[in-house]
DNA sequence: GATCTAAACGGAACGTCATTCCGCTACTAT
DNA sequence: ATAGTAGCGGAATGACGTTCCGTTTAGATC
C-alpha cells in the first residue's frame, strides 16, 4: 500500500509534457487528434504515452481534470487579489474561457463512452465549491443579491456560452454579461 | 438533367439489400458497425457499398431516412384501417418503436459531424405532417381534445421515451401511455 | 566516480478501419 | 447473339489505436 520508490523525475516530466501537449492538440485539432501526433508534440514516443495513459480516453480525461482543476484553483487566488465582486466576475469570465476551450471535449463527454461517465461529477464537485466560496464572500460584502445557487449559475452560464445552432439571438449580445449584471442588481423588495 | 438509362436492376437490388443489412447491423452492433461487415451481410463487396454510399455517413443517413419514411408512411395506412383514435394511438406506439430502434443513431446525430446536419429537419418535415393528419382526423371525430400541436407531441413522446439517466421515475411507469390518455381526456371547461 | 538494476523509454510491428482502384462480370439495348 | 458499359468484387492503401520488447538511463549503493 505504501508508495515504493516515488517516481522517476523524467517520468514525471514526460507525464506533464504529455498532458500539456494533449491540451494543445485537442484545442487545435479536436479530441480526435492522433496519439502519435500528441506523443510527438510532447517529444516522447508512443510507448511512453501508453505507459502513462493505457487508453486514449485516459489521456482525454486527464486533460479534462487538469483544466477543471486549473479553473477551480483560480478561485482562491482571485479571492485574495481582488474585491469580492470583481473576483466573482473575473472568475466567471475565466470559467467561460474554460468552457470555450473544450469544444470537442463536450462531444466526447456525451458520446456514451463509459470511460467518461465520472467526468460530469468531477466537474460539479470541483467547480461548485469554488464558485460557492466566491458567491458567499460577495454576498456577505453586499455586492450581489443573496440566494444565488452556485450549481444553477454554473449551468446557466454554460448554456449561455453554448454555441447557438444558427441565428437564434443577435450575434454579439453578451448574454453572460447580462447575467452577471443581473447578479449585481438586487431586486427591490 | 434527364435521367439517362434509369438504373440497372441488380444495382437497385443491391442498394436495397445494403440499406436493409445496414439497418440490421446498426441495430445489433450500433452505428459503428464496420463497412465490411455490412457489405458481407448484404452479400456484396465493399466496392459496391462505396459506389452507392461514397461515405460511411451516407449509409447512416440513408438508413435514418428509410426508417423515418417507413414511420411516416404508416400513418395513412393506419388511418384507413382503423378508427381515428385507434389509428392515432397505434401510430404513436409505432413511433416509439422507431425511437427505440435508433439507440446509437441519436449519438451520431448530435456528434457534430456536419454530414448529419440535415437529418433533424428531415425528421420534422416527414413526421409532423403524418402526425398532423392523424390528429386532425381524431380531433374532428371528437376522440381527442382539440388544439394538440403535432411537433410538440412528437418531441414530448421522444423525450418520454428517452432512457432515464438512472433512477428518475419508477421504472415501469408507462409515461407515454399517460400522455396518450391525456389526449383523450378532454378538459372540463 | 564506477557499478548495478529496475523503471522508463522509443518506435517498429500488428490488427482494425474507412476508402480507393481497377480488371473483370453480366445486364440490357440492339 | 453481341457489344458496350454500368456495376461488381476484393486486394491494396493509409490512418489509427495499441502492444511488445530490446535499449537507455535515473538514481541507489559502494
Amino acid at each position: 500500500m505504501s508508495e515504493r520508490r516515488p517516481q522517476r523525475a523524467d517520468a514525471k516530466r514526460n507525464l506533464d509534457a504529455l498532458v500539456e501537449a494533449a491540451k494543445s492538440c485537442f484545442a487545435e485539432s479536436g479530441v480526435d487528434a492522433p496519439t502519435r501526433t500528441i506523443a510527438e508534440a510532447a517529444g516522447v514516443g508512443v510507448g511512453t504515452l501508453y505507459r502513462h495513459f493505457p487508453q486514449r480516453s485516459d489521456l482525454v480525461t486527464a486533460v479534462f481534470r487538469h483544466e477543471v482543476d486549473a479553473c477551480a484553483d483560480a478561485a482562491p487566488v482571485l479571492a485574495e487579489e481582488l474585491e469580492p465582486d470583481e473576483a466573482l466576475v473575473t472568475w466567471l469570465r475565466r470559467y467561460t474561457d474554460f468552457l470555450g476551450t473544450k469544444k470537442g471535449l463536450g462531444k466526447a463527454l456525451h458520446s456514451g463512452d463509459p470511460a467518461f461517465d465520472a467526468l460530469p461529477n468531477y466537474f460539479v464537485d470541483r467547480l461548485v465549491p469554488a464558485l460557492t466560496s466566491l458567491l458567499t464572500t460577495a454576498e456577505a460584502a453586499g455586492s450581489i443579491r443573496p440566494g444565488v445557487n452556485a450549481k444553477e449559475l454554473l449551468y446557466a452560464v454554460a448554456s449561455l456560452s453554448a454555441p447557438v445552432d444558427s441565428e437564434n439571438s443577435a450575434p454579439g449580445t453578451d448574454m453572460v454579461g447580462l447575467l452577471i449584471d443581473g447578479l449585481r442588481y438586487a431586486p427591490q423588495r
Side-chain angles (χ1 to χ4, degrees), chain A residues 29-146:
Chain A
S29 325
V31 267
D32 292 333
T35 49
R36 275 189 255 273
T37 306
I38 298 170
E40 189 181 0
V44 305
V46 280
T48 300
L49 184 156
Y50 275 92
R51 178 152 335 80
H52 289 297
F53 305 98
Q55 308 269 335
R56 225 194 94 77
S57 56
D58 294 329
L59 183 52
V60 175
T61 66
V63 169
F64 183 85
R65 293 176 123 91
H66 186 262
E67 301 210 330
V68 170
D69 287 343
C71 190
D73 292 344
V77 175
L78 293 174
E80 192 161 334
E81 289 178 349
L82 301 173
E83 292 304 299
D85 64 330
E86 283 190 34
L88 172 62
V89 170
T90 307
W91 188 84
L92 285 175
R93 292 299 185 188
R94 169 78 173 74
Y95 169 62
T96 60
D97 288 346
F98 158 75
L99 291 173
T101 296
K102 60 182 188 61
K103 287 244 168 65
L105 229 159
K107 300 298 178 188
L109 285 192
H110 309 119
S111 68
D113 187 329
F116 303 123
D117 282 353
L119 294 188
N121 279 334
Y122 190 76
F123 177 91
V124 169
D125 291 346
R126 284 300 262 123
L127 260 30
V128 165
L131 176 54
T132 298
S133 84
L134 292 174
L135 281 173
T136 305
T137 305
E139 188 178 322
S143 313
I144 62 164
R145 75 172 60 191

Side-chain angles (χ1 to χ4, degrees), chain A residues 170-181:
Chain A
T173 306
D174 177 12
M175 300 305 260
V176 175
L178 290 180
L179 193 67
I180 290 176
D181 286 345

